Amino acid sequence: MEQLLRNIFDNNIFVFTVTAILPLIWIVPYALVAIWLERKISAHMQDRLGPMRTGGWHGWSQTIADMLKLLQKEDIVPAAADKILFNLAPYIIFIAAYAAYAAIPFSSAYIGADINVGIFYIIAVTSLAVVGILMGGWASNNKWSLFGAMRAAAQIVSYEIPSVLAVLAVVMIAGTLSLQEINNLQTGWFWNWYVFQKFPFIFVAFIIYFIAALAEVNRVPFDIPEAESELVAGYVTEYSGMKFAMFMFAEFVNMFAVSAIAATLFFGGWNSPFGDFLGGPIWGVFWFLSKGMVLVSIQMWLRWTLPRLRVDQLMYVSWKVLTPFAFACVIAVGLWMML
Amino acid sequence: MNLVDILFYIFAIVTLVSAGITVYSRNIIYSAFSLLFTFCGVAGIYVLLNADFIAVAQILIYVGGILMLLVFGVMLTHKVINVEIKTGILNIIPGSMITAIVGGTLCGIFMSTDWLIIEGVPPIKSTTNEIGTMFMTKYLLPFEIASVVLLVALIGAAYIARRDKTSKQSV
Amino acid sequence: MRKYFIDIYKSVWSVLIGMKITFGHLFVPAVTIQYPDVKPKLPERARNRLYVNMDDCIGCLQCEMACPVNCIEIATVKSLPTDDLGTTSTGQKKKLWVTKFDIDIAKCCFCGLCVYPCPTECIKMTEVYEFSEYDRNNFLYNFVTLTKEEIENVKAKAAEYEKEQAAKKAAAAAQAKPATAPTQQPPPTAQQS
Amino acid sequence: MTDIFETSIKTSTGKALRREEMVINMGPQHPSTHGVLRLEVVADGEIVIDVIPHIGYLHRCFEKHAENMTGYQQVVPYVDRMDYCAAMNMDFGYVLAVEKLLGIQVPERVEYIRVIMAELQRVASHLIAAGTYGLDIGAFTPFLYMFRERERILDLFEMTCGARLLYNYMWVGGVSHDLPPGFIDKAKDFCQYFKPKIKEYNDLLSYNEIFIKRTANVGVLPGDVAIAYGCSGPVLRGSGVDFDLRRDDPYSVYHKFDWKPEIGKGEMGAVGDCWDRYIVRIREMIQSINIVEQALNQIPEGDVATAIPKRIRPNAGDVYVRTESARGELGFYVISDGTAKPFRIKARSPSFVNLSVIPEISRGGMIADLVAIAGSLDIVLGEVDR
């Protein structure tokens, strides 16, 4: 891909810019569709219909209309807020969400940067979001926002541990941190996917990763930083207009990012489930995106089913359930590999 | 001046300016948050030095761990209800003396070192494997000592944070 | 330790049950309706906007009395014996000019208490429920059918008639001086006859 | 308040760490206060040290209004608006009080209609209570399922009296309309339709492990404390006290039906925790549906308007009548001075009394627990503030 672009444009800076922007071409329509999908899924699960009027077929353009509305809204900064940090926070959160896309392999031909420490890099940059959340929550100068920010920070930091351990189990089998190579190792039929290897340890690792990922992107049942019945809206309480949209956007971008990582690590990424059937780079994008979207849909499904945990129970789940199980998985996989 | 040079200067400027804010800002929160950019700038310079693993570890540990701890500390030790958290200027004379001594020493070392300059950029290759191998062979003892120290710190922290068992539990 | 594993098992199991239920509902037809396009059929007793059929109103003020929020305001003027106001659909003879019949629908609490006492069934609650307005003043519904001039005219006539009556009465009183003690006639007001 | 202050966190050397409490206002505009209630929370981090409820944001001078009405009948729409989630129960209590003052005996059919309406209203009210409780805990979907069923009850009410929320249906001496044709069949259909839904709620919410973990052993209200505070209704029964005015001080025709009050048994934790209060409501719905079915089968024919007095002018005197509303003991104390206007009406509203235990049972919990407790008490602010 990069070589192709280099041949076309013959200018390094331009090539890098184009490569960097490519995921945006996916993310923006994805976020619009995902927000619409979330509404529709929630509506149908609740025997409703959801948005039906805007745009014709099942209100498909509702999110676009909402975006336009948010764009036109007055940009309100509370008088008591710390203006610099208040304005900076949404961008940091978005940067953290978007930076992960640099190392996500969309297809065998396209990856933003095929770095050797791909998965490690993604784990590192997503932790940047915590800083943004703390910044936004503190700068709002609202006690509820601060509560939300504190909860978010504690939660994301805690859940990084089981998720990293679950990833480690896969990395141990693959023997590499590069996502593109991990994908290459899973080619062939779907039983070559890591989720079916070393059964059931990697499967358990996947469950652990998925639960931890839910917590890291603040989805139900781990949405306590935003818990609308407790903290109103947590750290986004004081935000409105486009800045609020940035938070929302980042949340959905993050949702896909963690789903994409799960798809890559456990479900063969851009590999077709049926060997060479519908293989190749172009179909690879299709497989990758559909695997990601299925996982995103499961996140939504869970959200509209479950109540939310309390702060201490959330910590309990992380430290006393997920972390020991993840450790057990890592050790079991290690022993299996030694045998 | 090629792309890598431009990037280097960008990262250097980001690092220096944000480090300056960290030091000179009267608002502790600003100091803490500008550390974010310092760490990221340093990580960028690591990348330019072909140390990809170190760069990522820098972000993960310093931003995800240490900066978080700092921000938490600042927020929790003060009345967080108010945005105004200011520092005063204290100990000007001893401070400037120490600064002068440290700065002078560093400058002296910088001038007297015979810098090794290599022609051309070496090919990028992963440092992860080598770091892993080194940890498990040559530097096993320091590695293990570090991990034991961390474990001790962990236990100590858990001990301090533990609720006093003798007093009646209320929850 | 055993409780720990039972808890994990129970959590996973109850989550799966919940997911099964919500997934099943994905394919259940929606129970909601697309409101402005599809409108629910209201039962016949539905209580919504008030309507007054002024042809039948005899100005008895029963509804005004019954209203718990005082949103109805009625003023009446006595008609002259020569006037013929017609009869209501129930055959009652109308005796009063209704010069004011205002309902402040913004105040109305839709309790329906005004409907029951009406002797001619002229005030009733209709099925109209979409009557939002941009201006609050539009919520003051005037039901009076008389024009301003007619009202003035009626009032003037009534006042004249009162005067005449008073004069007549005074004359009559002057004539029948030695009769019973002068009883003060109650002042003619816009009260129920 | 004694316990929590003594157990400050201590270092290993026994020195107490300095703590700073934060005063945080939950409400008046807050999603989990179910209206406009302000809870002044003294919190140490996430731990609630004290709660001070501030009420009065929805005060509409109901009692003063009632003294200035044109008559006793005009008070009914105002009574409706006290507990807007259970307006039928409110009407029921008030008209019983005025009827006792007047000494009217209403026809038996009216009694049956009133019981059917009151029990359906109790189901509707508990559906809101349980649904919004799920919402407080974070589950959105059960809320809409419960509202789906509630809409069917409201449909029944609408075809009977024309209104969906504030009915003004029960009048002194009778009801405003007789049951419409087809009502009994529709109501029976609804009862059949509703019974299996309880299992769905239980599977989706009541026995969900996360829900249990959030509510069991949270906000434990022991029976004696509940009695001491004067709690009533599901809050009292959730604490294991077997007391229901419909059985213990029967009014109307409740003695003719076969049912039993539900009490909390502490299945998931201590007796009187949030889960008990919640499950009592769920089970009461089944009992209410039972009563409705029996009443539908037994309802006699007759005229509903015979006992409605033309003019309500009770003799001077006073009367206190208590009924079991959806939220507990609803009492009306009515004083008449012999005129057509009530001299004084005092309402003993269950939500107001139940709200008073919030500080007692939420100290030492977390903010999320406070939300769970406030939801489990199921207060309606219209009734608290009147």
Side-chain angles (χ1 to χ4, degrees):
Chain A
M1 191 77 170
E2 229 176 294
Q3 205 53 51
L4 179 82
L5 287 171
R6 222 163 257 174
N7 291 342
I8 296 171
F9 296 118
D10 193 36
N11 178 338
N12 267 345
I13 296 177
F14 201 67
V15 168
F16 289 141
T17 316
V18 169
T19 334
I21 284 172
L22 266 179
L24 261 188
I25 295 172
W26 160 245
I27 284 177
V28 173
Y30 150 77
L32 294 177
V33 170
I35 294 172
W36 175 81
L37 194 70
E38 169 113 56
R39 288 172 164 184
K40 290 307 252 190
I41 286 184
S42 72
H44 284 275
M45 277 180 177
Q46 295 160 353
D47 294 353
R48 298 185 286 125
L49 285 169
M52 288 293 281
R53 296 183 72 77
T54 320
W57 186 79
H58 278 260
W60 61 270
S61 64
Q62 182 66 49
T63 343
I64 298 169
D66 286 346
M67 274 294 157
L68 290 176
K69 183 203 80 177
L70 284 174
L71 271 172
Q72 293 169 42
K73 282 184 92 165
E74 187 189 348
D75 185 34
I76 298 169
V77 179
D82 189 312
K83 298 204 174 42
I84 301 171
L85 296 182
F86 187 83
N87 289 324
L88 192 62
Y91 300 100
I92 291 201
I93 287 177
F94 180 70
I95 288 168
Y98 188 61
Y101 281 75
I104 290 177
F106 279 81
S107 131
S108 50
Y110 175 71
I111 180 168
D114 187 10
I115 44 177
N116 290 311
V117 287
I119 182 67
F120 193 37
Y121 160 80
I122 289 175
I123 290 165
V125 288
T126 44
S127 68
L128 271 177
V130 188
V131 181
I133 289 172
L134 270 177
M135 208 183 258
W138 185 82
S140 299
N141 203 0
N142 174 334
K143 289 171 194 170
W144 296 111
S145 297
L146 190 72
F147 260 130
M150 287 293 189
R151 283 178 173 194
Q155 169 179 337
I156 295 175
V157 169
S158 316
Y159 274 86
E160 242 162 44
I161 289 153
S163 83
V164 167
L165 286 172
V167 168
L168 193 61
V170 173
V171 170
M172 275 167 69
I173 304 181
T176 174
L177 287 168
S178 158
L179 286 171
Q180 200 63 292
E181 263 175 65
I182 290 176
N183 270 341
N184 282 327
L185 289 168
Q186 299 181 68
T187 43
W189 288 76
F190 58 84
W191 53 77
N192 285 343
W193 294 352
Y194 278 143
V195 72
F196 300 118
Q197 307 281 308
K198 307 267 188 289
F199 195 81
F201 299 113
I202 299 296
F203 184 74
V204 173
F206 162 68
I207 300 286
I208 290 168
Y209 176 80
F210 195 72
I211 294 172
L214 277 178
E216 278 187 60
V217 296
N218 301 333
R219 299 287 296 181
V220 171
F222 307 104
D223 70 332
I224 57 155
E226 291 155 21
E228 73 272 7
S229 64
E230 291 159 29
L231 304 185
V232 192
Y235 53 88
V236 290
T237 308
E238 298 287 351
Y239 283 90
S240 62
M242 223 31 225
K243 287 199 208 106
F244 171 75
M246 286 287 262
F247 277 105
M248 183 105 167
F249 194 52
E251 184 190 327
F252 278 86
V253 168
N254 262 330
M255 269 169 74
F256 186 78
V258 293
S259 302
I261 295 163
T264 309
L265 291 177
F266 299 99
F267 293 99
W270 38 257
N271 285 305
S272 159
F274 314 110
D276 288 337
F277 175 68
L278 297 180
I282 307 291
W283 279 106
V285 176
F286 165 76
W287 289 118
F288 176 77
L289 296 185
S290 42
K291 282 169 190 170
M293 284 311 281
V294 166
L295 289 173
V296 168
S297 307
I298 293 177
Q299 291 188 14
M300 292 175 181
W301 182 8
L302 277 170
R303 164 159 187 187
W304 297 107
T305 303
L306 297 178
R308 83 171 67 80
L309 290 163
R310 205 172 51 206
V311 191
D312 55 332
Q313 290 161 350
L314 184 101
M315 291 298 159
Y316 177 91
V317 172
S318 169
W319 292 103
K320 290 197 172 173
V321 181
L322 295 183
T323 310
F325 273 86
F327 261 119
C329 276
V330 169
I331 291 167
V333 170
L335 287 176
W336 192 317
M337 286 176 70
M338 273 171 71
L339 295 176
Chain B
M1 197 87 158
N2 59 13
L3 194 63
V4 176
D5 287 344
I6 295 171
L7 282 176
F8 170 77
Y9 283 113
I10 290 173
F11 283 130
I13 288 168
V14 166
T15 312
L16 286 178
V17 169
S18 59
I21 294 173
T22 307
V23 175
Y24 293 114
S25 171
R26 299 273 311 273
N27 191 327
I28 302 180
I29 287 286
Y30 284 1
S31 301
F33 279 125
S34 65
L35 263 181
L36 167 71
F37 299 99
T38 316
F39 290 144
C40 289
V42 171
I45 290 172
Y46 278 136
V47 170
L48 294 180
L49 290 172
N50 270 350
D52 51 356
F53 189 84
I54 306 285
V56 175
Q58 160 90 11
I59 291 180
L60 184 68
I61 294 165
Y62 278 90
V63 176
I66 294 185
L67 180 59
M68 291 290 310
L69 208 68
L70 268 174
V71 173
F72 255 80
V74 170
M75 283 182 176
L76 290 177
T77 47
H78 284 262
K79 272 203 171 170
V80 280
I81 301 151
N82 204 340
V83 202
E84 307 293 318
I85 299 178
K86 298 277 195 238
T87 48
I89 299 169
L90 308 159
N91 301 332
I92 298 174
I93 298 164
S96 43
M97 275 165 69
I98 291 170
T99 314
I101 293 166
V102 172
T105 320
L106 283 176
C107 283
I109 294 169
F110 180 77
M111 299 307 269
S112 61
T113 308
D114 185 18
W115 294 98
L116 173 73
I117 295 167
I118 45 170
E119 293 297 319
V121 183
I124 299 168
K125 68 182 211 295
S126 174
T127 53
T128 320
N129 283 339
E130 278 135 65
I131 291 173
T133 319
M134 290 290 199
F135 271 149
M136 285 297 151
T137 54
K138 198 174 170 191
Y139 298 104
L140 184 61
L141 185 66
F143 181 65
E144 285 301 320
I145 288 175
S147 60
V148 167
V149 167
L150 283 174
L151 186 67
V152 168
L154 207 69
I155 294 169
Y159 180 73
I160 291 172
R162 187 182 63 124
R163 234 167 236 258
D164 204 353
K165 278 246 173 85
T166 51
S167 66
K168 217 173 144 260
Q169 289 273 324
S170 59
V171 182
Chain C
M1 198 62 192
R2 203 166 145 256
K3 196 176 168 292
Y4 173 81
F5 285 106
I6 288 173
D7 271 1
I8 291 172
Y9 165 76
K10 269 192 191 162
S11 312
V12 173
W13 188 243
S14 60
V15 166
L16 289 179
I17 287 178
M19 286 176 81
K20 200 188 104 199
I21 290 174
T22 42
F23 190 73
H25 275 276
L26 262 182
F27 307 103
V28 172
V31 294
T32 51
I33 53 167
Q34 291 299 309
Y35 159 60
D37 304 330
V38 187
K39 286 186 180 169
K41 199 187 166 305
L42 293 184
E44 126 203 9
R45 291 173 183 178
R47 301 200 309 243
N48 290 302
R49 181 153 75 169
L50 277 170
Y51 175 73
V52 184
N53 183 2
M54 284 310 287
D55 293 345
D56 278 3
C57 181
I58 56 168
C60 65
L61 306 187
Q62 296 266 8
C63 49
E64 191 183 3
M65 300 273 283
C67 182
V69 289
N70 302 334
C71 74
I72 305 176
E73 266 182 57
I74 305 174
T76 54
V77 175
K78 252 189 186 167
S79 65
L80 307 183
T82 50
D83 289 341
D84 180 25
L85 285 86
T87 53
T88 64
S89 55
T90 49
Q92 227 163 329
K93 200 163 165 9
K94 295 206 297 193
K95 287 181 188 147
L96 296 164
W97 293 108
V98 182
T99 53
K100 184 182 177 190
F101 200 121
D102 290 352
I103 295 181
D104 190 346
I105 206 78
K107 273 194 207 164
C108 178
C109 70
F110 304 97
C111 61
L113 283 174
C114 51
V115 177
Y116 304 102
C118 183
T120 58
E121 292 178 12
C122 73
I123 183 165
K124 51 183 175 282
M125 301 204 112
T126 58
E127 291 194 4
V128 184
Y129 51 88
E130 293 157 310
F131 45 96
S132 48
E133 297 277 359
Y134 283 103
D135 186 355
R136 198 183 298 161
N137 295 325
N138 294 343
F139 281 122
L140 196 67
Y141 291 175
N142 294 311
F143 287 101
V144 174
T145 43
L146 302 176
T147 58
K148 236 176 208 165
E149 291 80 47
E150 278 175 323
I151 293 173
E152 289 303 316
N153 192 15
V154 165
K155 274 187 183 161
K157 265 189 186 170
E160 216 170 276
Y161 181 70
E162 284 304 327
K163 233 183 251 170
E164 264 173 43
Q165 289 291 306
K168 260 186 205 169
K169 211 155 269 173
Q175 275 179 1
K177 226 180 203 171
T180 51
T183 47
Q184 194 64 41
Q185 209 62 22
T189 49
Q191 272 298 334
Q192 184 191 351
S193 53
Chain D
M1 225 208 264
T2 49
D3 204 15
I4 184 77
F5 280 129
E6 282 164 12
T7 59
S8 54
I9 300 164
K10 284 184 182 145
T11 58
S12 49
T13 52
K15 213 177 111 192
L17 289 174
R18 194 169 61 97
R19 305 191 311 178
E20 266 177 29
E21 275 113 32
M22 176 151 84
V23 177
I24 186 162
N25 277 312
M26 190 184 258
Q29 308 295 332
H30 189 279
S32 67
T33 52
H34 295 215
V36 277
L37 169 70
R38 179 158 73 96
L39 294 173
E40 192 182 325
V41 181
V42 182
D44 173 26
E46 291 257 348
I47 311 275
V48 174
I49 290 173
D50 199 10
V51 183
I52 304 144
H54 292 270
I55 60 168
Y57 291 90
L58 206 56
H59 182 54
R60 290 144 303 154
C61 310
F62 156 71
E63 285 160 7
K64 198 70 192 167
H65 257 306
E67 293 166 22
N68 292 291
M69 285 295 115
T70 41
Y72 281 87
Q73 184 59 51
Q74 271 72 29
V75 178
V76 176
Y78 282 87
V79 175
D80 270 338
R81 282 156 178 80
M82 269 175 60
D83 182 350
Y84 36 79
C85 295
M88 286 283 187
N89 295 121
M90 296 289 121
D91 289 358
F92 202 179
Y94 173 73
V95 296
L96 280 181
V98 179
E99 277 161 13
K100 194 171 170 191
L101 202 57
L102 285 164
I104 304 179
Q105 186 64 44
V106 298
E108 196 164 42
R109 184 175 172 83
V110 172
E111 298 278 22
Y112 272 91
I113 292 175
R114 282 181 181 175
V115 167
I116 292 170
M117 292 302 164
E119 291 309 307
L120 282 176
Q121 179 72 81
R122 189 184 311 277
V123 174
S125 171
H126 283 348
L127 281 173
I128 293 191
T132 51
Y133 194 45
L135 211 56
D136 285 342
I137 304 297
F140 208 101
T141 307
F143 171 73
L144 280 139
Y145 290 170
M146 293 184 189
F147 261 64
R148 182 187 60 194
E149 271 74 78
R150 181 172 178 270
E151 285 301 305
R152 306 224 0 187
I153 298 178
L154 298 193
D155 283 343
L156 288 175
F157 289 156
E158 194 185 18
M159 71 187 277
T160 310
C161 67
R164 295 181 75 84
L165 189 67
L166 304 160
Y167 312 102
N168 184 24
Y169 179 59
M170 295 183 192
W171 284 9
V172 178
V175 288
S176 72
H177 299 83
D178 197 356
L179 293 180
F183 177 87
I184 291 183
D185 292 337
K186 274 201 171 173
K188 279 180 181 166
D189 282 353
F190 170 76
C191 293
Q192 288 309 316
Y193 160 85
F194 185 70
K195 278 178 193 163
K197 300 290 176 195
I198 297 279
K199 189 181 178 305
E200 191 177 274
Y201 306 152
N202 281 342
D203 283 347
L204 191 57
L205 190 62
S206 317
Y207 291 97
N208 182 295
E209 195 64 21
I210 297 176
F211 182 77
I212 293 171
K213 282 273 178 293
R214 277 296 306 278
T215 53
N217 284 325
V218 168
V220 179
L221 175 66
D224 53 336
V225 178
I227 293 170
Y229 271 89
C231 296
S232 51
V235 176
L236 180 65
R237 287 193 288 277
S239 300
V241 181
D242 193 2
F243 179 75
D244 192 320
L245 284 173
R246 287 173 290 169
R247 185 200 59 192
D248 297 326
D249 185 10
Y251 52 95
S252 198
V253 286
Y254 275 110
H255 56 276
K256 292 187 179 173
F257 306 118
D258 175 31
W259 65 283
K260 63 172 181 50
E262 293 289 349
I263 56 165
K265 303 182 190 91
E267 285 149 80
M268 296 299 165
V271 176
D273 58 8
C274 289
W275 194 84
D276 273 351
R277 286 194 282 277
Y278 163 84
I279 205 74
V280 160
R281 291 201 178 89
I282 294 280
R283 290 176 182 156
E284 265 185 31
M285 287 198 254
I286 307 173
Q287 297 289 348
S288 289
I289 287 292
N290 256 335
I291 297 178
V292 170
E293 278 191 325
Q294 291 173 43
L296 287 170
N297 287 329
Q298 296 172 17
I299 186 163
E301 289 299 315
D303 190 6
V304 297
T306 49
I308 296 180
K310 282 274 163 311
R311 280 164 70 245
I312 304 170
R313 197 185 281 267
N315 296 326
D318 59 341
V319 66
Y320 177 78
V321 166
R322 52 183 191 165
T323 54
E324 182 80 19
S325 97
R327 279 164 190 78
E329 177 182 332
L330 171 74
F332 276 104
Y333 180 59
V334 184
I335 307 179
S336 161
D337 57 354
T339 61
K341 285 183 187 180
F343 178 74
R344 177 85 169 86
I345 292 180
K346 164 85 178 85
R348 185 248 187 234
S349 55
S351 295
F352 175 73
V353 182
N354 290 349
L355 176 66
S356 64
V357 295
I358 270 206
E360 180 73 24
I361 58 179
S362 54
R363 277 181 206 131
M366 309 187 90
I367 290 204
D369 290 339
L370 179 60
V371 171
I373 290 166
S376 75
L377 294 176
D378 184 27
I379 42 172
V380 166
L381 265 298
E383 201 191 23
V384 173
D385 295 342
R386 295 193 290 282

